Structures are given as C-alpha cells and as structure tokens.
Amino acid sequence: IRVARRTMSSPVGFSNKVFINGEYVPASLSPLPVIDPATEEQIGTIGNASAADVNKAVTAAKAAFPSWTATSGSDRAKILRKFSEGLKKRKEFLAKWETMDMGKPIDESLWDLDDVAGCFEYYADMAEDLDKRQNEALESPMEEFTQHMQYQSVGVIGVITPWNYPLLMASWKVAPALAAGCTVVLKPSEHASLTCLELGNIAQEAGLPAGALNIVTGLGPETGGTLCDHPDVDAMAFTGSTSTGTYIMQTAAKQIKNVSLELGGKGAFIVFDDVDVEKAVEWIMFGVFWTNGQICSSTSRLLIHEKIAPAVLKRLKEEAEKINQTNPLEVGARMGPVVNKIQYDKVMGYIQAGKDEGATLLTGGKRNPKFSKGYFIEPTVFVDVKENMKIWKEEIFGPVLSVRTFSDEAQAIKEANDSPYGLGAAVMSGDKDRCARVVKGLRYGIVWVNCTQPCFVNAPWGGLKRSGVGRDLGKYGFERFLEPKQVTEYVSGNPWGWFISSKI
C-alpha cells in the first residue's frame, strides 16, 4: 500500500502568515497549532489574525472592488480558469495536506480537489455568460418606455467556511463571488485552514488583482466576529453550525446585510421493502460514514420498512465491521479519524447518550482498538431508537447511524419531516410512482432517489428550516452575488403632461 509522505513542506512554505492585498504578511496574534487527527501530533502552525488584520483585509477588498467589478466577465473568466489550472497542478499536494489537516481518507481528498477545480471552471463559464446578459431587454407594458436589466456586483463578501471540506466549501463561495465581480475576505475554519491558505499563491499565479481575494485565518470570536460585524462587508456567506449561523444572521441584521447560510442537518433515508439489500446497504453506509460521518447532509436517520429491516440490518452490521478504517493517507482507506479531540468527545458523548436512553448498539460505539493514538471512532449503528432520543433528534456530525422501522409510506414521510432541519434526505424503492410521492412530500432542499450524497456543481445546494437560507452552487450560487438593476427610459417625444399640461 502506498502511503503519502508526511515530510512535505507547508502549503504556503511558512507559518503564521495571512494573505492580504496580494501578499502573505505576518498575523498579529500568536500562531495556532495544526494537529494531525490521525497521530495527535503537531504538523505546523497557522496565522492567528487580529481584528486589525481583518480590518486591513476588508480595506484591501474594498479598494480592489471598483476595478474588479468593472472588469468584463470574460476577463474574470480567464483568471478563474487559471485558478483551476493551479489547483490541478497541486492536486496531490493539496489532497495530502487536507487529509493530514482534518482526517478524511486520501481518496476522498483527491476527489474533492477535482470538484474544487471544476467549480472554478463552472463559474468561469457563468462570468462569460454574464456579459451577454447585461442590458437584456424587458418587455415594457407601455410603449412610451423601454426597459432593460443590468446586473451589478454585491460588493465585498465575507466568507466563513467549515473544516469538513476546507477547499471545496471555500470554492463554492469564492469562485462565484469572484466570477460575479465581488471581492472576498475568506476566513477558513481554524480547525482546517492549510489548503485554503494556498489559494493566495494560486491567486498570484492567476493574475488576480491584489485585494480581490484576502485570506485571514484565526479564531471565530475575533477573526470571524470582526469580519461579520464589519461595516464595509456588504454580504456574508457561511457554511457551518446552526449556532454560528444564528450569530451571523443576528449580527448582519443590525446593518441590514445580506446573508447566505448553509447550516446543520439531520437527514432521513427512507428505505422500502422492494429494494435490493446489497445496494441499500452500500448507500446507507455511504450516507453516514463518508467523510467519517462529518457531513451536514448526512442521512444519519434510517427509516427502514419493517419487512426488510432484519435482512438489511444483518448485512449492514457485517459490512460496517469490514470498513477499512486506517491511516487516512493510505490509499484504499475508507474511514479515518474525526477532525480533533473536541469533535471526538462530542461524538462519544452522543454515543453514550444513546446507550443511556435505551437504544441498542448494533455495532461500533467505541474508539477503534487498532489505534493507540488518533481520534478514530468505529462506524456505529444504533437500533431500537425512539423519536425523542438525542441521537435521533440532534446533529451528531460523526459516524453514527440511528435506525427506526416503519410500516407505511405516510408514516415514513411524517417521521422524516419531523426535524428542525431540512437539508438532505433520500428515498430508495423500485417503485417510481412511490418515489415521486415521497420526493414531493419531503420538506428538504435536496432529495436523493435510490442514492444519497451525490453533489454536482450545476445543482443548487441548501436547505429549509434551521438548515439555512439561500443556496450554494448552480445558477443560484452565482445570482446571490449579483444585484439586479432595472433601467427604465422614457422614449416618447411627447411631454409626460401630468403636472404641466402640454400646449396645443
């Protein structure tokens, strides 16, 4: 088995620096350690930006905005495509660092890097298309007027991204914002910032004007809080916890600042009794153990028809116990550790709560005994779960599946919808009409049919209820960084004649 080397240089070649106004500069506060979750060893440091550093980044973004927004969409597209080229050139390098930074298997990180490069390419196309849309005509209801549309950039965008998909979540916001002519201040999660810092080097290579993209790493209260509350930030784009999203929305409300929030989830996976057991088991595991279970869209609530439950659960236990959980840098690893000790303790706390409240462990539920170090939690499945249990109601963000059975379709839809979240859900059945009914009945922003978790850049991503507001990806992820301007012109040669009568 090929194991990726751990003796690589840092992604930016140095530590304790942030990227402001086109160059790497020292952060003002003491650097933050970077811990490999597979070994619990420190592998580097990142800069810890102060409020003053954030102010400098916002000032640079504000200064860069007039010229960047005046750049044609086709010219912005050329730079975004160079971003994509820079990412492809660094694919293995960045994938290895992302795996060491947050613990996901290297095969997943490599897949993510393909998607990151593809995201910049997709929004390069959108930028080009924007040129064609400018000044598009509207049909005026009165012949005395002509009307057309212009699309103007929102302005300076504050972007805060999570640790589970560091570069990918950044690309979902940075790429469309730049494509739309906005400038950006990116604050990655302090728990996984390394690969996002490399975007500064890529920006320099791509010829992005200084100040159009700034990257400030640091802690949430000072670095993130200053960014949210800054009067020169025109909009906030955030992916992360519902609690932090609530804070951002409350802060933005004071300034009537636009926000887009992709928050938590507690997705349901409804499996009917006419499915192929092997296919069902594969998708059930993919929905909850992918990225070590640390996905907001995780379908971690399994609703399975009582007739097929014994067969599916038997195979699920067998296959979950065979998952290759190992050093995530090993090719072929399918699970690694959770991101850090904080998350490890949180997930283990939920597992204990499940046992205390009377759920039955089908498999897992403890630290993987193969490892003396690292935050490895076995793939865990609970059965005999009640609707009022914490493991059923609350987002765990770890490799924990809770299972309930159902007997009829209406009951399954009702239970799936009985959640404060509404991000992603799935249904599996060989009956197309049934699937169509369930899709229509589910109150979620994303519904998968006979699968779970696939995500494509052309389709909107976001949820209902406490899962957030707004959408990433697709045309929706682009339009949120544009403000429509309608232009109406009076073209009649006759006076309007409302207050001043025309002379005969």
Side-chain angles (χ1 to χ4, degrees):
I1 297 174
R2 179 177 64 84
V3 180
R5 294 180 294 111
R6 290 184 176 271
T7 57
M8 300 176 292
S9 62
S10 167
V12 293
F14 40 73
S15 60
N16 199 33
K17 291 193 177 182
V18 291
F19 188 72
I20 297 175
N21 202 29
E23 60 181 351
Y24 289 99
V25 296
S28 297
L29 302 177
S30 298
L32 302 173
V34 177
I35 307 297
D36 183 339
T39 65
E40 302 180 41
E41 297 173 358
Q42 182 171 331
I43 56 174
T45 60
I46 57 169
N48 187 3
S50 67
D53 295 328
V54 176
N55 287 334
K56 291 175 184 177
V58 174
T59 298
K62 184 179 180 180
F65 176 71
S67 60
W68 181 243
T69 192
T71 304
S72 68
S74 60
D75 285 342
R76 294 198 293 264
K78 292 174 185 176
I79 292 176
L80 289 175
R81 292 193 178 104
K82 288 180 181 178
F83 264 86
S84 180
E85 292 168 8
L87 287 157
K88 290 176 182 177
K89 183 172 67 175
R90 295 165 168 82
K91 176 181 173 180
E92 288 200 3
F93 173 75
L94 289 171
K96 290 171 184 176
W97 272 103
E98 197 141 287
T99 287
M100 295 193 321
D101 204 8
M102 59 76 58
K104 72 170 59 182
I106 186 64
D107 292 342
E108 286 191 35
S109 294
L110 288 166
W111 192 349
D112 287 351
L113 262 293
D114 288 337
D115 288 346
V116 173
C119 187
F120 278 90
E121 291 171 357
Y122 178 83
Y123 286 109
D125 292 343
M126 285 270 185
E128 284 182 334
D129 185 62
L130 182 61
D131 286 344
K132 302 171 188 175
R133 293 170 54 198
Q134 295 290 9
N135 300 311
E136 61 187 0
L138 297 174
E139 186 176 345
S140 174
M142 295 178 66
E143 62 181 13
E144 292 90 347
F145 299 91
T146 62
Q147 293 178 291
H148 65 272
M149 292 298 301
Q150 293 181 359
Y151 298 92
Q152 53 197 344
S153 314
V154 167
V156 176
I157 310 299
V159 173
I160 301 179
T161 51
W163 46 260
N164 57 337
Y165 288 88
L167 260 181
L168 188 59
M169 294 298 100
S171 73
W172 283 16
K173 303 176 195 303
V174 171
L178 292 176
C182 298
T183 55
V184 176
V185 179
L186 167 65
K187 191 274 178 194
S189 169
E190 62 270 27
H191 302 304
S193 296
L194 289 177
T195 53
C196 286
L197 283 165
E198 183 68 8
L199 286 175
N201 279 330
I202 295 171
Q204 291 172 331
E205 288 181 9
L208 185 71
L213 173 63
N214 306 272
I215 307 162
V216 287
T217 52
L219 298 175
E222 180 155 4
T223 310
T226 302
L227 184 60
C228 293
D229 199 34
H230 202 291
D232 290 331
V233 172
D234 297 293
M236 289 297 304
F238 171 74
T239 295
S241 70
T242 299
S243 59
T244 303
T246 301
Y247 167 80
I248 290 172
M249 181 172 268
Q250 290 171 338
T251 303
K254 299 173 187 176
Q255 301 172 27
I256 319 298
K257 187 179 297 184
N258 195 10
V259 297
S260 61
L261 306 171
E262 198 267 272
L263 307 176
K266 190 69 177 177
F269 194 170
I270 302 173
V271 178
F272 286 91
D273 58 340
D274 59 347
V275 302
D276 179 282
V277 169
E278 297 302 305
K279 290 179 180 178
V281 169
E282 168 65 28
W283 282 115
I284 290 166
M285 293 197 299
F286 193 80
V288 72
F289 300 140
W290 173 255
T291 313
N292 309 323
Q294 299 166 132
I295 320 176
C296 51
S297 61
S298 171
T299 40
S300 60
R301 291 186 299 148
L302 176 61
L303 287 159
I304 188 163
H305 197 282
E306 59 188 15
K307 290 183 179 178
I308 202 173
V312 169
L313 294 176
K314 177 178 181 296
R315 291 292 295 125
L316 178 60
K317 173 179 166 59
E318 292 168 352
E319 292 301 321
E321 291 173 355
K322 291 193 292 186
I323 290 175
N324 184 24
Q325 186 175 38
T326 185
N327 183 323
L329 284 173
E330 291 187 8
V331 174
R334 287 297 175 262
M335 281 184 63
V338 295
V339 67
N340 54 30
K341 189 173 190 304
I342 295 171
Q343 192 64 18
Y344 176 87
D345 289 343
K346 176 186 173 185
V347 175
M348 293 303 293
Y350 273 108
I351 290 171
Q352 186 61 50
K355 293 188 286 187
D356 291 345
E357 291 182 344
T360 302
L361 270 172
L362 182 69
T363 188
K366 61 183 184 298
R367 179 188 183 91
N368 191 318
K370 291 195 305 183
F371 303 97
S372 59
K373 284 192 173 183
Y375 306 116
F376 293 89
I377 299 174
E378 292 179 329
T380 298
V381 181
F382 277 103
V383 295
D384 301 322
V385 176
K386 307 299 182 185
E387 287 179 280
N388 62 346
M389 291 182 177
K390 288 180 66 175
I391 56 172
W392 185 258
K393 294 167 59 179
E394 299 180 16
E395 183 179 41
I396 299 174
F397 223 66
V400 180
L401 178 68
S402 299
V403 184
R404 285 177 53 78
T405 61
F406 70 92
S407 58
D408 69 82
E409 183 180 310
Q411 174 197 356
I413 295 172
K414 181 178 180 296
E415 288 199 29
N417 286 335
D418 187 17
S419 171
Y421 301 104
L423 182 55
V427 57
M428 196 167 194
S429 172
D431 185 332
K432 290 186 177 181
D433 291 337
R434 172 192 279 157
C435 287
R437 290 192 303 270
V438 174
V439 167
K440 187 175 181 179
L442 288 171
R443 293 284 296 163
Y444 287 79
I446 305 157
V447 179
W448 295 284
V449 178
N450 292 326
C451 62
T452 179
Q453 302 309 315
C455 173
F456 302 100
V457 69
N458 64 305
W461 184 276
L464 311 179
K465 299 183 278 188
R466 290 181 63 82
S467 288
V469 293
R471 294 293 184 271
D472 285 312
L473 300 183
K475 65 179 182 180
Y476 304 92
F478 182 63
E479 297 294 333
R480 64 180 165 157
F481 296 118
L482 294 170
E483 292 285 5
K485 178 194 293 182
Q486 62 106 333
V487 181
T488 299
E489 181 179 357
Y490 185 64
V491 295
S492 172
N494 298 320
W496 186 234
W498 183 262
F499 288 104
I500 302 175
S501 299
S502 58
K503 294 182 180 180
I504 300 176

